[in-house]
Amino acid sequence: MTPLYDVILVGCGPVGATVANLLGGYGRSTLVVEKEIAIHPQPRAIHFDDETMRIFQAIGLQREIAAATRPILGMHFVDRQGRLLLEVRKNAGDHPLYGFPPANVFYQPELETILHSGLARYPHVDLRLGLAAESFAQDEGGVVVTLRGENGKSSTVRGRYLLGCDGASSLIRRQMGIGLTDLGLHQPWLVIDVRQPSSTDDLYFVRQICDPARPATFVPSVGDRRRWEFMLLPGESPTEMVRPERVRALLAAHVADAVEIERAAVYTFHALLADRWRDNRVFLLGDAAHQMPPFLGQGMCAGIRDAHNLAWKLDRVLRGIAPTALLDTYQSERRPHVAQIIHMARLAGGIIQTRRRGSAILRDGLLRAAMAIPPVRRWLRQLETAVPGLQSGYFAPRNKAAGKLLPQPTVESADGRIDLLDTFLGDDFALIHIGGAPQSDLGMPMLRLIGPRDPWPDAPNAIRDHNGQLSAWMAAHRAEILIIRPDRYVFGGFGDWGLVTGD
Ligand SMILES: Cc1cc2nc3c(=O)[nH]c(=O)nc-3n(C[C@H](O)[C@H](O)[C@H](O)COP(=O)(O)OP(=O)(O)OC[C@H]3O[C@@H](n4cnc5c(N)ncnc54)[C@H](O)[C@@H]3O)c2cc1C
């Protein structure tokens, strides 16, 4: 008899591996099939943000991942002579809003290795490498997936839900007959990864080289790894561009130090959004659901947000404590959010990819003028990627805080433990309140937040907000009570207990 898994996952790239770790943590029996035996040796993603690190915290792998990661400070847009046009500074400071530096560089094969090894903690998560999904069929009770191994042998498995985390050319998406909305960008870029041991480069800023003759990007990655990206010009052939002499000539214009070229490949940057992300028991996540140009380094981050958004909903539906309608909110929350980020990435791409000399002169002039006005300069400098909140979905209606990602300050508990807030929240719904609370059991942890200088109340659930960040955020959202979802988005912020307890 074929075993019945709670969830079958196709594809174990960064998104599949993250959702498998989340489902493992929830105790869900999960089969992960990955057609490759080895982890993809070529990095694509190179940057992730603070929310992504917070999700790695949720799967208990943040320490290992942080050790393989380096924070950076932001992005410099420079002209062809290297003169600064615009500085976008991620304002990490000593108290980052979500608990982690807002911008981090990493080496993708290393990240994926950590994510894969995290799965070994869960006996109920079965990772099978070298096994490709070929087709699936779903009925009322579940999904049957046909698999083929490296030896050509075919088999079937059955699960309650199927997640297509199988990347840009997703078989699952194609088999569902789901189209991609083209948001209008198909630009080939040459991506070159080098080792540069004697680098004297600024290691804290990505450099967007706004040269109309050849737009380019430089990313100082971890250790001695550096990435260069060059836009292909009309008529240039990918095969010609990856030839070693061509690659060396392009690098020579920018790099004086000796470099070891690890690889050069041409990628076409797209902006695509799957029309539907769910067909009954089957879901699309990550690149299977969306693709975006990497100008803000957000493609993988978006996929990892998909994973966090869906995993807790599936868990609750599988536990029988939420209706299947909760699963509809996956697409209604995530799709518009990704569309907004694609829009922002295209805007950044528009600044960088300007090719007409006249437009480039105008752009440079406007950016210089903006940087010359101190308040505008300060605003631009502190401009973060400003990832928006979620708009419509499973949230309290007409609520200022709902849909926003909860800040994550360092807090101290009454017994003297000091740690990031999430470690006190658990992995289910939680409530944070200021001041006293009714005695009723709301079926979730309730934490009483006190300010940096408040005396300790006689309450074992009190936590001290060390720098007042969360208290200030709650005040700005006119909330004395916050209900937090398992993915750390605020379900609702309330001024009094009436709406929360129904008294
Ligand atoms: C040049 C470049 C730079 C980028 N930079 C960034 C960045 O800095 N930051 C960022 O956040 N994002 C970035 N991205 C985007 C990021 O790389 C992707 O969004 C991310 O890798 C997608 O992860 P995924 O798990 O959805 O898909 P993938 O990484 O494509 O993984 C899909 C997996 O599914 C497997 N698979 C496919 N079909 C089957 C099947 N039938 N059966 C079993 N297994 C299957 C594949 O073998 C693969 O392992 C960049 C992309 C590019 C191209």
Side-chain angles (χ1 to χ4, degrees):
M1 172 88 177
T2 324
L4 178 67
Y5 291 96
D6 286 335
V7 183
I8 298 174
L9 252 145
V10 176
C12 199
V15 174
T18 302
V19 77
N21 273 286
L22 286 161
L23 292 169
Y26 287 130
R28 308 269 50 113
S29 67
T30 305
L31 172 69
V32 190
V33 294
E34 165 55 55
K35 68 180 165 66
E36 301 298 334
I37 295 277
I39 282 171
H40 200 312
Q42 308 292 17
R44 284 86 71 218
I46 191 163
H47 157 275
F48 66 73
D49 63 14
D50 40 6
E51 184 179 356
T52 303
M53 185 61 112
R54 192 173 184 179
I55 298 170
F56 296 148
Q57 176 191 15
I59 59 176
L61 296 175
Q62 153 236 332
R63 271 181 231 291
E64 289 94 318
I65 292 173
T69 305
R70 191 169 64 77
I72 56 168
L73 292 180
M75 224 175 339
H76 281 161
F77 290 72
V78 299
D79 68 8
R80 66 184 307 178
Q81 282 82 28
R83 291 171 304 202
L84 186 66
L85 295 171
L86 168 65
E87 177 176 291
V88 178
R89 186 179 272 267
K90 309 276 184 144
N91 202 10
D94 288 340
H95 306 297
L97 187 59
Y98 300 116
F100 299 105
N104 306 278
V105 286
F106 70 106
Y107 183 56
Q108 190 171 349
E110 206 169 352
L111 171 74
E112 291 190 31
T113 304
I114 299 171
L115 292 172
H116 276 216
S117 55
L119 297 177
R121 296 171 297 176
Y122 306 113
H124 47 282
V125 176
D126 190 1
L127 170 61
R128 297 218 213 135
L129 302 173
L131 203 53
E134 282 202 326
S135 62
F136 71 85
Q138 56 175 322
D139 54 38
E140 288 247 307
V143 188
V144 174
V145 186
T146 304
L147 306 169
R148 190 170 298 275
E150 295 242 298
N151 54 8
K153 250 179 82 181
S154 129
S155 57
T156 57
V157 283
R158 188 170 166 78
R160 290 191 201 283
Y161 290 95
L162 171 65
L163 309 190
C165 306
D166 49 346
S169 57
S170 170
L171 168 110
I172 305 297
R173 186 189 65 233
R174 282 182 282 122
Q175 211 199 306
M176 286 199 275
I178 293 178
L180 292 168
T181 297
D182 186 343
L183 300 173
L185 180 102
H186 303 277
Q187 178 58 54
W189 277 67
L190 172 65
V191 175
I192 307 170
D193 285 321
V194 303
R195 312 287 296 255
Q196 194 176 334
S198 60
S199 165
T200 50
D201 283 306
D202 177 350
L203 293 184
Y204 291 96
F205 285 90
V206 169
R207 212 156 66 235
Q208 302 289 5
I209 302 160
C210 303
D211 176 2
R214 170 84 70 191
T217 300
F218 166 72
V219 187
S221 188
V222 278
D224 61 358
R225 294 182 189 282
R226 309 282 176 265
R227 173 169 290 178
W228 285 92
E229 299 176 356
F230 297 96
M231 184 170 143
L232 263 63
L233 307 181
E236 284 179 334
S237 106
T239 337
E240 160 68 17
M241 291 301 281
V242 297
R243 283 179 41 215
E245 53 277 26
R246 193 82 177 94
V247 169
R248 290 219 168 265
L250 282 165
L251 288 176
H254 298 274
V255 191
D257 309 318
V259 298
E260 175 202 332
I261 297 167
E262 284 203 308
R263 67 88 177 249
V266 171
Y267 289 89
T268 299
F269 297 164
H270 298 287
L272 301 168
L273 204 48
D275 297 332
R276 285 181 299 121
W277 292 27
R278 176 188 179 195
D279 178 4
N280 197 15
R281 291 181 169 273
V282 187
F283 295 81
L284 297 176
L285 295 87
D287 275 20
H290 46 77
Q291 290 144 57
M292 66 181 78
F295 300 116
L296 298 177
Q298 278 290 324
M300 181 192 80
C301 301
I304 286 176
R305 285 190 185 96
D306 299 343
H308 210 199
N309 186 289
L310 184 58
W312 69 270
K313 294 175 181 171
L314 271 178
D315 174 56
R316 293 179 90 77
V317 170
L318 282 161
R319 278 198 279 150
I321 58 167
T324 53
L326 178 63
L327 300 174
D328 291 336
T329 64
Y330 168 61
Q331 175 175 331
S332 67
E333 291 177 4
R334 291 295 307 140
R335 194 173 184 276
H337 191 261
V338 172
Q340 271 177 289
I341 296 187
I342 292 181
H343 178 66
M344 287 157 59
R346 290 196 57 214
L347 278 179
I351 298 179
I352 301 155
Q353 296 190 124
T354 303
R355 293 265 2 266
R356 285 213 190 95
R357 205 158 285 274
S359 314
I361 292 170
L362 185 66
R363 170 201 62 197
D364 295 359
L366 283 173
L367 292 176
R368 283 204 175 94
M371 287 290 278
I373 305 167
V376 182
R377 183 174 63 232
R378 271 198 299 278
W379 180 78
L380 285 170
R381 277 210 174 131
Q382 291 178 15
L383 193 75
E384 297 186 12
T385 313
V387 173
L390 299 174
Q391 282 160 3
S392 60
Y394 186 64
F395 301 113
R398 293 185 298 283
N399 198 290
K400 206 174 167 207
K404 303 224 169 114
L405 186 62
L406 178 75
Q408 183 178 211
T410 298
V411 296
E412 180 181 355
S413 61
D415 60 7
R417 184 158 75 91
I418 297 176
D419 211 333
L420 287 169
L421 173 65
D422 289 0
T423 59
F424 295 88
L425 293 180
D427 57 7
D428 212 323
F429 277 81
L431 186 147
I432 295 173
H433 64 98
I434 292 169
Q439 290 302 308
S440 34
D441 177 10
L442 298 177
M444 63 181 103
M446 288 169 58
L447 297 174
R448 176 167 175 180
L449 190 75
I450 60 168
R453 275 171 289 279
D454 291 341
W456 281 103
D458 184 18
N461 63 341
I463 49 165
R464 183 185 293 289
D465 185 6
H466 260 207
N467 50 53
Q469 223 172 2
L470 182 55
S471 321
W473 193 91
M474 288 176 74
H477 289 81
R478 289 196 215 97
E480 298 258 301
I481 303 150
L482 293 177
I483 296 183
I484 321 298
R485 307 189 331 175
D487 58 5
R488 313 308 183 202
Y489 279 84
V490 177
F491 171 77
F494 308 94
D496 62 54
W497 289 94
L499 276 170
V500 178
T501 59
D503 292 342

